[in-house]
Amino acid sequence: MIDSIAHLTIRRPDDWHLHLRDADVLRAVLPDTVSQFARAIIMPNLQPPITTTEQARAYRERILAALAPGEAGRVPAFEPLMTLYLTDHTQADEIRVAQTSGLIYGVKLYPAGATTHSAAGVTDLLGRCASVLEVMQALEMPLLVHGEVTDPQVDLFDREAVFIDRVMIPLRRAYPALKVVFEHLTTREGVQYVRDAQGPVAATITAHHLLYNRNALFQGGLRPHWYCLPVLKREVHRQALLEAASSGHSRFFLGTDSAPHPRGAKEQDCGCAGCYTARHAMALYATAFDSVGRLDQLEAFASLNGPAFYGLSPNSDMLSLERVDDLVPQQLAMGSDVLVPLAAGTSLPWRICAA
Ligand code: DOR
Ligand code: ZN
């Protein structure tokens, strides 16, 4: 409900794509997500990766243990929705165990070498993972896809579009009932594919791909904190993403892909991919939707479409945002390190209201 131009109240949102890492980093970043989101799909690209239900169960326990009591000593309600990391060696039985556990909400495909901590990923999806895909389709276990080819012959900016032709279309022809989430969609071609595809396909969209095009990477110099994978694209692609996200179409929903890296790992001669957006996530999304006059569609995108795809109920409580300028800090503490949030030092026109 938009009760005035300065306030927005929506069902509490969920983050359908999140990196929390582990240990000190987990403890540092988790409150940023919990302050806004009731649930999050937790990416499994730890080192070593989360490849079994038992590992996911233990990781989930560590996340729950890291929930710090808030005021009045109450531990905030937050549900981590765990995922498994698909490898060439994942067994179909592991998928059955995952489904039976009730803790696993998806299996993540990282093409080997595509991004941060993807070395253990899949080298040949249809060739190596056929029996796993068969069982996932039968059990309605979603495949969460990092949709980029790794072929060095393919231009970095074209890797998502080429992935559609080389992997997505053959995959979905072979497994038409498989639930697939095209994670962190970045292109006009991706939007068209997801919108037009037959069957249970959806996509997450990050705040940074809605707000920035690839110029942000080179604004006055080289800007490592805007570097993520899939990389920011041209303005036409940003426009297509913004149109899709704010259209109300049920196949598009919120996934921040917030990915914490220490400042030093980003600011070096071979800097890591990943933007940290968790602290200001809903303010960033509100800013994007506001820019096209579609705040009325933020609730569907952030709070309704995701649960519908995953077969879950929307959250029952609410989150309010207010139109107040809010400065993004230059850096945030992260254990014994620091991280630089996206848009550090700039002012956002929205912020969440205190609970
Ligand atoms: O930019 C990214 N960072 N893209 C990914 O796919 C992984 C993520 C990370 O884990 O840091
Ligand atoms: Zn990610």
Side-chain angles (χ1 to χ4, degrees):
M1 172 184 71
I2 303 174
D3 54 5
S4 81
I5 197 116
H7 272 89
L8 176 65
T9 298
I10 60 171
R11 294 266 197 147
R12 185 170 293 280
D14 304 300
D15 185 349
W16 299 97
H17 184 130
L18 177 66
H19 298 269
L20 286 176
R21 317 295 194 215
D22 215 338
D24 281 1
V25 175
L26 164 64
R27 281 186 285 279
V29 302
L30 184 59
D32 287 346
T33 290
V34 171
S35 67
Q36 299 158 80
F37 301 100
R39 299 171 286 201
I41 285 276
I42 310 300
M43 286 296 133
N45 63 333
L46 302 187
Q47 282 185 310
I50 302 292
T51 55
T52 68
T53 300
E54 278 323 298
Q55 289 168 343
R57 188 190 301 277
Y59 184 28
R60 181 174 180 276
E61 292 302 321
R62 297 199 293 280
I63 295 168
L64 293 176
L67 287 172
E71 280 162 38
R74 208 175 299 133
V75 175
F78 176 70
E79 199 184 346
L81 308 175
M82 308 310 293
T83 61
L84 297 186
Y85 185 117
L86 185 63
T87 76
D88 284 349
H89 311 290
T90 303
Q91 301 290 311
D93 270 351
E94 190 61 53
I95 305 301
R96 295 190 186 94
V97 171
Q99 178 72 11
T100 308
S101 76
L103 301 177
I104 309 297
Y105 288 80
V107 176
K108 179 72 190 278
L109 164 66
Y110 286 105
T115 187
T116 309
H117 304 164
S118 65
V122 172
T123 59
D124 172 12
L125 181 66
L126 288 172
R128 306 294 289 263
C129 301
S131 59
V132 164
L133 293 168
E134 195 70 59
V135 171
M136 287 177 63
Q137 174 172 252
L139 298 180
E140 296 184 26
M141 173 66 77
L143 180 70
L144 315 182
V145 173
H146 183 111
E148 291 191 287
V149 294
T150 54
D151 181 348
Q153 302 299 318
V154 177
D155 189 279
L156 186 78
F157 291 92
D158 297 333
R159 289 183 182 180
E160 182 173 291
V162 173
F163 183 91
I164 294 170
D165 293 334
R166 290 195 191 166
V167 183
M168 206 57 141
I169 290 172
L171 167 72
R172 302 206 52 265
R173 194 175 291 137
Y175 305 95
L178 180 67
K179 287 181 100 166
V180 177
V181 183
F182 206 139
E183 299 290 340
H184 39 55
L185 204 62
T186 64
T187 60
R188 184 174 49 180
E189 291 84 351
V191 166
Q192 270 162 11
Y193 176 78
V194 170
R195 212 190 282 259
D196 298 344
Q198 301 285 316
V201 182
T204 56
I205 302 179
T206 77
H208 40 292
H209 290 99
L210 291 177
L211 285 169
Y212 304 102
N213 64 36
R214 64 191 193 177
N215 287 355
L217 283 161
F218 308 105
Q219 192 81 48
L222 194 55
R223 300 296 202 117
H225 299 291
W226 270 265
Y227 174 56
C228 62
L229 288 170
V231 74
L232 294 172
K233 302 294 194 303
R234 282 179 182 276
E235 178 64 7
V236 288
H237 299 293
R238 188 185 77 86
Q239 292 287 344
L241 294 167
L242 201 45
E243 202 286 315
S246 65
S247 68
H249 196 299
S250 63
R251 287 187 172 176
F252 300 101
F253 45 83
L254 184 157
T256 62
D257 198 16
S258 181
H261 290 276
R263 175 194 277 272
K266 302 245 343 139
E267 298 176 4
Q268 55 154 308
D269 61 357
C270 187
C272 292
C275 298
Y276 187 74
T277 54
R279 171 79 60 101
H280 297 88
M282 287 308 299
L284 291 163
Y285 280 109
T287 302
F289 277 60
D290 202 7
S291 73
V292 285
R294 300 314 301 265
L295 281 170
D296 59 321
Q297 293 298 335
L298 185 60
E299 184 176 55
F301 177 77
S303 316
L304 304 178
N305 296 346
F309 183 83
Y310 278 90
L312 300 170
S313 300
N315 299 307
S316 48
D317 60 333
M318 313 297 279
L319 181 78
S320 293
L321 294 122
E322 56 191 344
R323 193 195 297 275
V324 174
D325 283 349
D326 194 23
L327 188 66
V328 180
Q330 292 288 357
Q331 59 182 40
L332 303 172
M334 186 172 70
S336 56
D337 233 310
V338 293
L339 65 72
V340 178
L342 191 79
T346 71
S347 194
L348 299 175
W350 287 90
R351 71 173 184 202
I352 55 166
C353 301

